[in-house]
Amino acid sequence: MTTATVSHVVGEKHIDTATRSLKVFNPATGQAIRQVPMADLDFLNDAVSIAAEAQKQWRETGIAKRSRVFFELASIIRRDQEELARIISEENGKTLPDAAGEIARGLENVEFCAGALNHLKGEHLEQASGGIDVTQLKQPLGVVACITPFNFPAMVPLWMVSTAIAAGNAVILKPSEKVPSSAVWLAEAFHKAGLPAGILNIVHGDKEVVTGILEHPDIKAVSFVGSTPIAKHVYTTAAAHGKRVQALGGAKNHMVVMPDADLDGAADAAISAAFGAAGQRCMAVSVLVAVGDVADPLLEKIQDRMTGLTLGDGAREGTDVGPLITAEARDRAHRILGSAADEGATIVVDGRPAAEGMDGFFIGPSLVDNVRPGMQVYDEEIFGPVLSVVRVDSFDAAVSLINASRFANGVALFTRDGRSARQFQLEIEVGMVGINVPIPVPIGAFSFGGWKDSLFGDTHMYGPESFNFYTRRKVVTTRWPLPSESQIELGFPTN
């Protein structure tokens, strides 16, 4: 049987020719379901040239007309979201409800970008000096590149691409080769919504294409989401080639539970945030910090709830936890979980036996107690359904533990005490904070991004900061003097 090929999309044309290709797997079955062509540098160069030519006309397109594309795009995605959710589930492994939630969060940014008339307004100052006016404009960069991860095949592209296009740029989107079909679906939806050919181009590839993007002189900015080592490489390489960069890296998100917290609510939140999407979220809770004597009763409640979770194919109704993305990811989670006991931690729930005999890349939800910094299970980003428990004596100890981490993407505090909550949000050195909210992903009107090794670059993703990232400022100073006012003045101009 011939395996279907996922095409590139360049200038609205679907192209599937390539000298080499990779297999795309359904992680729930372990079977290859498609193949995706790998572009080479010549293909990338052609795509950038087409994008650059198309962008000249797109930047001249009225902003009201650009906005209409996004209103129509939102309508198309909302109408056909079940189809997109099935594609996400098949290639990523997440459950259909989780895929639907991803699409909904991506739609937030599409709707935000429909307000481009407001987001792209500049500033004007009349009479800055006698007879002189000053105007600041927001102008597009040109061609930008978006390199997106496997864990959110629709949401992250919609976060990046929508803003870049609304701001007047053309985009080269390089999706994860593990989940390529969602990006092609989105490109088709953009074109149905009225986006001109060449403004959104899908170029599949691996390291060769990524390096080409980072070094290409006509690509002016790069947005990236992935692991911290790769994010750092993307940032340093692209910046060295004169590009604007936002590179979001890994995470080790902590959830602090105070003795006064609602333990049933905290247990529900820990289960949802640690094991949703099989732990493959950069905002997943992977470390539970139990303060004081709360640990034993809280762990008992979490363990009781874990017995009701169903492991299986995300496309099947009733599944709670799907597979990991690859066999390598599964084996890595196995290895780190196995190291926990060797290093002195206690494996309370071992998810490895739950997956025995299953096809696909599964590991069951796992719970590890008595974890400490320095253990692999604490230090490494596992990106799997493994929840570590660290016991501390006080609020101050919890804050110190979190602030010592090199990751600083998201954090949560569960408490009934407003003073503790206020102190926590004041002192904690993390980019996104939840108070009784386990996954504090901001709504579309704000921006997403962590601190420390979770973000390289100084601009967060989507929302207002993203419009700043995808535009550059031009300041125009204007004077209309009378001929009689002209004179030679060699001194530096003042007001």
Side-chain angles (χ1 to χ4, degrees), residues 254 287 289 372-373 378 390 392 396-405:
H254 295 68
V287 180
V289 183
R372 301 183 308 275
Y378 181 86
V390 177
V392 298
D396 290 340
V399 171
S400 296
L401 174 80
I402 296 165
N403 286 350
S405 174

Side-chain angles (χ1 to χ4, degrees), residues 10 84 97 130 213 222 261 343 369 381 387 397 423 427 467 470-471 488-489:
V10 178
L84 179 56
I213 286 171
V222 176
E343 294 179 335
D369 193 10
E381 184 183 27
L387 178 60
Q423 194 67 20
E427 294 183 9
F467 271 98
Y470 289 117
T471 58
I488 296 174
E489 177 56 69

Side-chain angles (χ1 to χ4, degrees), residues 144-439:
V144 302
C146 302
I147 304 171
T148 56
F150 77 84
N151 59 330
F152 287 101
M155 185 182 75
V156 173
L158 287 174
W159 282 0
M160 295 178 180
V161 167
S162 298
T163 315
I165 290 173
N169 301 286
V171 176
I172 303 294
L173 170 58
K174 207 297 287 182
S176 167
E177 63 276 14
K178 299 178 180 67
V179 290
S181 299
S182 299
V184 174
W185 192 98
L186 290 174
E188 292 171 348
F190 264 102
H191 294 142
K192 291 174 185 175
L195 187 70
I199 300 303
L200 175 56
N201 306 278
I202 313 299
V203 177
H204 302 294
D206 49 18
K207 184 178 180 180
E208 180 182 359
V209 165
V210 171
T211 300
I213 286 171
L214 303 182
E215 298 178 354
H216 200 292
D218 293 331
I219 293 176
K220 304 303 181 184
V222 176
S223 297
F224 171 86
V225 173
S227 69
T228 286
I230 305 302
K232 188 173 184 179
H233 170 74
V234 166
Y235 175 72
T236 55
T237 305
H241 285 80
K243 303 185 193 311
R244 188 175 292 189
V245 194
Q246 52 178 194
L248 279 70
K252 199 73 178 181
N253 304 313
H254 295 68
M255 173 177 154
V256 180
V257 181
M258 297 294 292
D260 67 336
D262 174 359
L263 294 192
D264 285 314
D268 289 341
I271 291 288
S272 303
F275 305 133
Q280 297 176 119
R281 296 172 178 154
C282 64
M283 290 295 283
V285 167
S286 54
V287 180
L288 182 69
V289 183
V291 179
D293 59 2
V294 77
D296 287 339
L298 179 59
L299 260 68
E300 182 178 349
K301 291 178 181 293
I302 291 173
Q303 190 173 356
D304 286 345
R305 285 160 171 78
M306 290 176 67
T307 61
L309 299 178
T310 300
L311 185 67
D313 188 334
R316 190 176 64 221
E317 186 176 352
T319 294
D320 298 304
V321 180
L324 298 191
I325 188 66
T326 62
E328 291 77 13
R330 176 201 60 202
D331 295 345
R332 183 174 183 274
H334 278 212
R335 174 181 59 78
I336 295 175
L337 183 59
S339 73
D342 296 336
E343 294 179 335
T346 305
I347 300 178
V348 179
V349 178
D350 189 339
R352 290 171 293 182
E356 290 178 358
M358 297 182 69
D359 295 328
F361 313 132
F362 291 94
I363 179 173
S366 302
L367 181 64
V368 186
D369 193 10
N370 299 310
V371 172
R372 301 183 308 275
M375 296 179 177
Q376 289 185 60
V377 73
Y378 181 86
D379 293 345
E380 295 191 30
E381 184 183 27
I382 303 172
F383 230 54
V386 179
L387 178 60
S388 297
V389 179
V390 177
R391 298 174 181 238
V392 298
D393 294 331
S394 65
F395 172 88
D396 290 340
V399 171
S400 296
L401 174 80
I402 296 165
N403 286 350
S405 174
R406 67 189 181 100
F407 297 113
N409 212 38
V411 69
L413 173 72
F414 277 71
T415 183
R416 289 189 175 99
D417 179 50
R419 185 175 181 83
S420 295
R422 187 178 185 278
Q423 194 67 20
F424 187 80
Q425 69 185 48
L426 180 70
E427 294 183 9
I428 210 70
E429 297 172 4
V430 178
M432 292 171 282
V433 181
I435 305 298
N436 299 314
V437 175
I439 306 178

